[in-house]
């Protein structure tokens, strides 16, 4: 039996309205990844994480809970959950994760920033002023709140004199590059994903990978943002041989992740199908979105045949000796 | 027998964000959908265009199950903005039924 759609979206909407995020996150957790990197505060060009990697421990914890509620009596309690959530942060009780999980996602962001620095790119960071873009609510059609969030973010960017952002995932790229211009008049931010930047400026790898990697394109990058060649160029510089599955580039197959919070079982079925398609071409798979990595990895682990899913930055870290 | 709701047609079908009139019911979208959504978008958009609000709302689960992955749009000969239409329907249901 499906989860109550309106109630689940309602909790996310209330959080964005009240707590500026779909799952509230402390400033400390949002910015921990940048500790010790000495990134300047603000500047004309900034890295913009949109908090998606930082939210992943909470999102995945919540997804696991939702999956267990999907076919249990607990789904009937979602209405009460929404009511309680107006006063206390219910997600904090539902979606906690172990410190190691936070560390793992922080490491990914650190490595993205380090590789950009190593490639000679200069950029700052907005630290605790950075906000989640509202992508989940945009997908679910809660447009009035997305507009508000876009306005908040645009105000922060303008107040800091930001002209260009380098994004770290496809969903944040799409929101900042394609969605916000439609809802804010005069919005003229230059937005590039770190993969687009690296395709232009990354040096040759210090430790070429010399291995085959099966590529999984994100729907958001491939079909919404036309980011298809760049990850391939970056992987080629890293010394990898990119293997194309049957469904690749513009015709990539979704990982199932977008409906994970509402329909966990349906989401898992799509992920399993996708991993089967990818694994036909090799066991080492590279993906470029935290949601894809999570969904596909879960499905790959069930196969128990050595199929491994990694974030593209993990492969790049190996090629450029990062991973600090 | 379902009632045709003119306000619904006005609110959704005639809005700028919804384009389904060009749909020629070829079925390419259904054939290419990773989610295997039988109903979306052919029949569903037809319900919208002719104003069968009740049929649309009864299919809310399908509407919220769409991945918005746009695989269908790659093979749509009529250039229907399928994912955008789905979002518009979600927006309508959120506002009117879920009071979000
Ligand atoms: S956007 Fe929705 S209808 Fe189209 S292929 Fe993806 S899941 Fe299916
Ligand atoms: S592919 Fe396009 S034209 Fe064909 S049925 Fe689907 S929406 Fe209609």
């Amino acid at each position: 039996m499906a989860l109550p759609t309106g109630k689940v979206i309602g909790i996310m909407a209330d959080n964005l309205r009240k707590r500026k995020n779909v799952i509230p996150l402390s400033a400390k957790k949002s910015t921990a990844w940048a500790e010790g990197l000495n990134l300047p505060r603000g500047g004309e060009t900034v890295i913009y994480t949109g908090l998606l990697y930082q939210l992943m421990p909470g999102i995945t914890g919540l997804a696991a809970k939702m999956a267990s509620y999907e076919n249990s009596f607990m789904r009937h309690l979602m209405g009460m959950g929404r009511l309680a959530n107006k006063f206390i942060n219910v997600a904090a009780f539902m979606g906690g994760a172990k410190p190691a999980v936070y560390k793992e996602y922080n490491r990914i962001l650190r490595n993205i920033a380090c590789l950009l620095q190593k490639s000679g790119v200069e950029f700052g960071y907005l630290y605790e002023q950075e906000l989640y873009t509202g992508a989940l609510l945009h997908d679910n059609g809660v447009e009035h709140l997305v507009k508000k969030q876009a306005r908040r973010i645009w105000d922060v960017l303008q107040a800091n004199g930001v002209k260009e952002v380098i994004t770290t995932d496809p969903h944040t790229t799409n929101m900042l590059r394609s969605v916000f211009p439609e809802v804010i008049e005069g919005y003229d931010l230059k937005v590039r994903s770190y993969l687009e930047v690296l395709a232009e400026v990354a040096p040759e790898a210090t430790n070429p990978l010399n291995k085959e990697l099966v590529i999984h394109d994100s729907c958001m990058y491939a079909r919404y943002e036309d980011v298809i060649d760049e990850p391939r160029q970056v992987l080629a510089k890293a010394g990898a041989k990119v293997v194309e599955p049957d469904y690749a580039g513009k015709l990539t197959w979704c990982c199932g992740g977008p409906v994970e919070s509402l329909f966990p079982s349906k989401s898992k079925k799509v992920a399993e199908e996708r991993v089967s398609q990818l694994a036909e071409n090799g066991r080492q798979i590279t993906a470029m979105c935290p949601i894809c990595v999570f969904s596909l990895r879960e499905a790959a682990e069930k196969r128990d045949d050595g199929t491994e899913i990694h974030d593209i930055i993990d492969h790049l870290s190996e090629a450029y000796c990062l991973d600090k | 027998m379902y009632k045709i709701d003119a306000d619904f047609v006005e609110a959704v079908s005639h809005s700028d964000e919804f384009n389904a009139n060009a749909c020629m019911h070829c079925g390419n979208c259904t054939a290419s959908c990773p989610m295997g959504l039988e109903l979306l978008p052919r029949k569903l958009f037809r319900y919208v265009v002719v104003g069968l609000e009740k049929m649309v709302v009864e299919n809310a689960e399908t509407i919220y199950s769409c991945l918005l992955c746009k695989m269908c749009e790659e093979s749509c000969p009529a250039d229907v903005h399928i994912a955008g239409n789905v979002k518009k329907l979600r927006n309508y249901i959120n506002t009117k039924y879920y009071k979000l």
Side-chain angles (χ1 to χ4, degrees), chain A residues 109-165:
Chain A
L109 289 175
R110 286 177 76 78
N111 282 337
I112 291 174
C114 288
L115 186 49
L116 286 167
Q117 285 176 326
K118 201 166 182 162
S119 307
V121 183
E122 288 182 12
F123 57 93
Y125 175 44
L126 293 173
Y127 292 88
E128 70 291 342
Q129 290 190 72
E130 197 188 71
L131 293 169
Y132 173 62
T133 59
L136 247 172
L137 289 171
H138 174 64
D139 284 355
N140 282 303
V142 194
E143 285 315 310
H144 63 290
L145 290 182
V146 172
K147 266 185 205 166
K148 265 196 191 151
Q149 191 73 349
R151 174 47 65 192
R152 280 178 186 148
I153 292 175
W154 184 228
D155 288 347
V156 169
L157 292 169
Q158 283 189 307
N160 282 279
V162 177
K163 303 260 183 292
E164 177 176 358
V165 296

Side-chain angles (χ1 to χ4, degrees), chain B residues 15-88:
Chain B
S15 79
D16 289 347
E17 300 126 85
F18 195 89
N19 85 326
N21 288 316
C23 170
M24 49 181 88
H25 286 245
C26 66
N28 284 0
C29 50
T30 306
S32 60
C33 175
M35 205 58 173
L37 296 180
E38 198 352 74
L39 185 69
L40 268 175
R42 299 185 288 166
K43 290 187 208 148
L44 185 72
F45 293 170
R46 192 50 44 192
Y47 296 153
V48 177
V49 171
V50 299
L52 296 173
E53 177 169 1
K54 196 160 179 275
M55 293 292 279
V56 171
V57 177
E58 275 175 10
N59 285 290
E61 182 170 335
T62 308
I63 294 168
Y64 287 90
S65 301
C66 169
L67 298 157
L68 306 175
C69 69
K70 283 198 186 182
M71 183 68 137
C72 47
E73 293 189 22
E74 284 302 313
S75 52
C76 173
D79 227 357
V80 176
H81 300 160
I82 299 168
N85 288 352
V86 170
K87 259 187 265 180
K88 177 68 196 168

Side-chain angles (χ1 to χ4, degrees), chain B residues 5 8 53 91-100:
Chain B
D5 190 321
F8 174 62
E53 177 169 1
N91 185 249
Y92 183 82
I93 295 172
N94 287 343
T95 314
K96 184 163 174 187
Y97 294 90
Y98 299 155
K99 313 280 180 218
L100 294 178

Side-chain angles (χ1 to χ4, degrees), chain A residues 4-315:
Chain A
T5 307
K7 304 284 189 299
V8 179
I9 304 174
I11 290 177
M12 297 191 280
D14 293 338
N15 277 339
L16 193 72
R17 195 180 288 122
K18 217 176 146 129
R19 304 179 177 111
K20 299 186 185 167
N21 205 336
V22 280
I23 300 175
L25 199 65
S26 69
K28 192 164 183 283
K29 282 212 169 94
S30 309
T31 59
W33 69 271
E35 267 167 32
L37 292 181
N38 295 322
L39 299 176
R41 183 173 280 275
E44 281 204 3
T45 302
V46 296
I47 190 166
Y48 201 95
T49 73
L51 307 187
L52 193 58
Y53 275 99
Q54 298 92 314
L55 278 168
M56 285 307 291
I59 290 176
T60 55
L62 213 51
K65 279 277 189 304
M66 293 301 202
S68 68
Y69 293 170
E70 196 177 22
N71 291 308
S72 85
F73 77 99
M74 285 296 283
R75 68 180 187 280
H76 300 301
L77 303 182
M78 294 304 289
M80 272 160 60
R82 185 175 176 203
L83 188 67
N85 188 58
K86 290 189 197 289
F87 307 101
I88 50 162
N89 170 17
V90 166
F93 297 101
M94 291 172 70
K98 295 198 172 94
V101 180
Y102 286 98
K103 214 172 151 196
E104 175 62 17
Y105 283 107
N106 285 342
R107 191 182 55 77
I108 290 176
L109 289 175
R110 286 177 76 78
N111 282 337
I112 291 174
C114 288
L115 186 49
L116 286 167
Q117 285 176 326
K118 201 166 182 162
S119 307
V121 183
E122 288 182 12
F123 57 93
Y125 175 44
L126 293 173
Y127 292 88
E128 70 291 342
Q129 290 190 72
E130 197 188 71
L131 293 169
Y132 173 62
T133 59
L136 247 172
L137 289 171
H138 174 64
D139 284 355
N140 282 303
V142 194
E143 285 315 310
H144 63 290
L145 290 182
V146 172
K147 266 185 205 166
K148 265 196 191 151
Q149 191 73 349
R151 174 47 65 192
R152 280 178 186 148
I153 292 175
W154 184 228
D155 288 347
V156 169
L157 292 169
Q158 283 189 307
N160 282 279
V162 177
K163 303 260 183 292
E164 177 176 358
V165 296
I166 301 171
T167 49
T168 52
D169 72 83
H171 294 270
T172 303
T173 310
N174 172 252
M175 292 298 283
L176 292 177
R177 183 151 83 188
S178 304
V179 177
F180 287 8
E182 285 178 11
V183 297
I184 298 180
E185 219 175 293
Y187 179 95
D188 58 355
L189 186 71
K190 182 173 177 192
V191 181
R192 286 191 300 162
S193 125
Y194 80 96
L195 291 168
E196 291 172 288
V197 175
L198 288 179
E200 277 178 26
V201 302
E204 292 303 315
T206 35
N207 176 36
L209 294 171
N210 293 324
K211 63 179 168 191
E212 291 193 345
L213 293 175
V214 183
I215 193 163
H216 166 75
D217 290 279
S218 119
C219 304
M220 208 34 104
Y221 268 153
R223 284 192 282 269
Y224 283 76
E225 295 301 322
D226 215 12
V227 177
I228 296 173
D229 295 338
E230 293 84 351
R232 287 162 174 77
Q233 289 161 2
V234 175
L235 285 167
K237 281 192 199 186
K241 181 177 180 307
V242 177
V243 180
E244 304 283 348
D246 279 353
Y247 292 100
K250 272 271 186 271
L251 291 179
T252 188
W253 193 271
C254 186
C255 69
V259 296
E260 173 87 43
S261 53
L262 289 174
F263 304 103
S265 319
K266 293 185 189 192
S267 165
K268 288 182 200 326
K269 261 178 85 177
V270 177
E272 281 162 21
E273 165 65 22
R274 180 54 170 164
V275 172
S276 304
Q277 295 169 3
L278 294 164
E280 271 175 27
N281 300 276
R283 293 284 182 261
Q284 290 285 317
I285 295 157
T286 193
M288 52 202 92
C289 163
I291 296 171
C292 295
V293 171
F294 173 72
S295 309
L296 299 177
R297 194 174 274 168
E298 228 190 16
E301 278 164 7
K302 276 196 209 145
R303 295 168 62 92
D304 202 20
D305 64 353
T307 303
E308 281 183 32
I309 316 284
H310 285 287
D311 196 300
I312 188 170
I313 192 67
D314 289 341
H315 293 118

